Amino acid sequence: MGISLFTPAPIPSDDHRRLVAVAASGLIDSHRDPRLMALAKRTRVTLHAQWAGVTVISAESQHVIAASGGMLGIYRRSTSISSYVVNAPDAPFVVLDASKDERLAGSPFVYDGLIRFYAGVAFRDRDGHALGALCITDAEPRDSFSDEEIALLTAFAGEVVA
């Protein structure tokens, strides 16, 4: 068995503008907002996931401000899978088996068996800045994540800042 390292997502070149938008959004202070908690639960149940969360990516941290099926909290951006979503917000980020993905296999969440499947979609402010991700995870890998499921996750992500 080899050693796996987590490869942090690159920092976007315009991240300073995105960080101003994150601060202006006030989302980091929306910890446990009932509407966002309900959205996380609806996302988890609809997409048959073990966990769903609303994550906001700041300069150094990932803030899980709402979740269903697991914990909220603040984690290092450098080990955040959702940072990949913010880095390339124009497409969903789907990993069917994170333990087999070179970038993610060394994540503490993957290594400890908490995440094998991950799907995330960026949510944006009115100016188009990616503030974070609505994401789902499972401890078991998936064989597929359909276009219909991606469309649902995308629609739910649109509700975060609506």
Side-chain angles (χ1 to χ4, degrees):
M1 182 165 127
I3 295 174
S4 296
L5 300 175
F6 179 79
T7 304
I11 303 295
S13 61
D14 66 341
D15 202 52
H16 60 284
R17 287 189 212 116
R18 191 192 66 75
L19 292 171
V20 169
V22 166
S25 75
L27 281 170
I28 289 176
D29 298 324
S30 299
H31 184 77
R32 290 192 182 274
D33 176 274
R35 187 183 63 84
L36 295 176
M37 294 293 285
L39 176 62
K41 182 176 183 178
R42 186 163 37 107
T43 302
R44 181 182 58 80
V45 170
T46 302
L47 295 171
H48 310 287
Q50 191 172 25
W51 180 88
V54 177
T55 67
V56 179
I57 305 298
S58 66
E60 300 292 328
S61 302
Q62 169 183 276
H63 303 259
V64 181
I65 60 169
S68 177
M71 296 178 55
L72 297 117
I74 301 172
Y75 305 91
R76 292 188 317 258
R77 179 179 183 173
S78 63
T79 60
S80 164
I81 297 173
S82 292
S83 288
Y84 279 94
V85 177
V86 169
N87 183 56
D90 295 331
F93 186 74
V94 178
V95 179
L96 299 175
D97 188 345
S99 71
K100 295 180 180 177
D101 186 294
E102 290 181 353
R103 300 163 296 180
L104 309 181
S107 161
F109 299 103
V110 175
Y111 185 79
D112 289 344
L114 299 172
I115 297 175
R116 288 284 295 275
F117 168 78
Y118 176 96
V121 174
F123 55 85
R124 301 169 185 259
D125 69 1
R126 289 185 182 131
D127 295 325
H129 298 288
L131 305 175
L134 176 64
C135 53
I136 61 173
T137 67
D138 282 310
E140 297 297 323
R142 291 196 185 183
D143 294 325
S144 65
F145 194 66
S146 71
D147 289 342
E148 180 180 300
E149 291 169 310
I150 289 171
L152 284 167
L153 186 59
T154 301
F156 291 150
E159 295 181 32
V160 173
V161 293

